[in-house]
Amino acid sequence: MEGPESSKISSSAARARALPSGVVLLTDRWVARRPLVAVIAAAVAGGVRWVVLREKDLPRAARLALAVELRAVLAEVGGTLIVAGPDPLDGAAVHLPAAGPYPPPRLGLAGRSCHDRAELARLTTEDYATLSPVHATRTKPGYGPTLGAAGLAELIGVSPVPVLALGGVETPDQVRACVEAGAAGVAVLGALMRAEDPTEVAATLTAAAHETVGRPGHGAARPAPTPAQAVPTAVTPVAPKPSLRAAVSTSGLRPTVPTEGSSLTARSGHGRPQPPTATRDGEQ
């Protein structure tokens, strides 16, 4: 019979199995240059292994169908789909806003959007957090204040869980700066959604993240990571298999209604001003 200690060990092993790292893609079909599943498939071919499904304006049935398609794409490479919001859409991974719910639902993986020390201090059983905005974003002009590399490193130093840097991260140099500050990875929206070649952009950003992990002094701003916080070795970009191409649907993925409140970082009750959510032409 398992005792309390063995249960704790099993829980720790489960968390160590897989946590978001490298380049984590956030979806937004409003700024995507192609049908959403096609963009995700291309980014996966470039090395992306973690995708956060947003699209909160869609009815649940449509969002669930989209989740099924994206999981099929990610399954080809052992990737993981995380759903923004408390409803995992028949999965086991969610990303929650800073406003709640608290505590997180009991699932295989739960992350939360954070923006300052107070929000980090509220974390309980979350597995990871995003910190934003690191840089100014075109999705939400004027949103901030921005953390910058120094502010990001300071908050990572007090975070009880691994952190993904979010907000305006678009270039390899910005990715390197975030990882050097101690981030386990970066969450990227606009740079991949609007890319003419998502595979090339994903490969470039992923390489920047993984090459920085191995540099001397990496993560000096925070304590040494536990096994659950360790970043996997670099993922070699792979060409999509024929079945992956077959899974890409071009129907029903273009925007049909305006997005309202679908940002991963949007939340109620936060002290900073919240500009209007971006329109169809907005970009991160």
Side-chain angles (χ1 to χ4, degrees), residues 5-88:
E5 291 303 319
S6 61
S7 296
K8 290 180 181 179
I9 294 172
S10 298
S11 176
S12 297
R15 289 195 177 198
R17 185 166 58 245
L19 288 175
S21 61
V23 174
V24 179
L25 184 144
L26 279 58
T27 74
D28 189 335
R29 71 192 191 284
W30 289 97
V31 301
R33 286 180 177 264
R34 305 184 217 167
L36 187 58
V37 179
V39 174
I40 302 305
V44 166
V48 167
R49 297 294 180 263
W50 295 88
V51 174
V52 177
L53 172 60
R54 296 162 72 247
E55 319 309 323
K56 292 184 180 180
D57 59 296
L58 288 174
R60 188 184 188 278
R63 199 166 179 242
L64 175 59
L66 181 54
V68 170
E69 284 196 86
L70 295 182
R71 287 187 182 116
V73 172
L74 286 160
E76 293 282 347
V77 294
T80 301
L81 182 72
I82 303 172
V83 179
D87 181 358

Side-chain angles (χ1 to χ4, degrees), residues 34 38-39 80 89 120 122 135 139 197 246 256 270:
R34 305 184 217 167
V39 174
T80 301
L89 298 176
L120 287 172
R122 293 180 65 187
H135 304 293
T139 298
D197 187 345
T256 56
H270 196 271

Side-chain angles (χ1 to χ4, degrees), residues 57-139:
D57 59 296
L58 288 174
R60 188 184 188 278
R63 199 166 179 242
L64 175 59
L66 181 54
V68 170
E69 284 196 86
L70 295 182
R71 287 187 182 116
V73 172
L74 286 160
E76 293 282 347
V77 294
T80 301
L81 182 72
I82 303 172
V83 179
D87 181 358
L89 298 176
D90 295 346
V94 294
H95 186 95
L96 305 170
Y102 287 92
R106 293 181 176 275
L107 295 168
L109 180 71
R112 190 176 299 277
S113 296
C114 294
H115 313 82
D116 52 38
R117 283 175 176 261
E119 290 176 351
L120 287 172
R122 293 180 65 187
L123 297 176
T124 55
T125 59
E126 289 86 346
D127 299 285
Y128 74 94
T130 58
L131 280 173
S132 66
V134 178
H135 304 293
T137 73
R138 281 173 274 182
T139 298

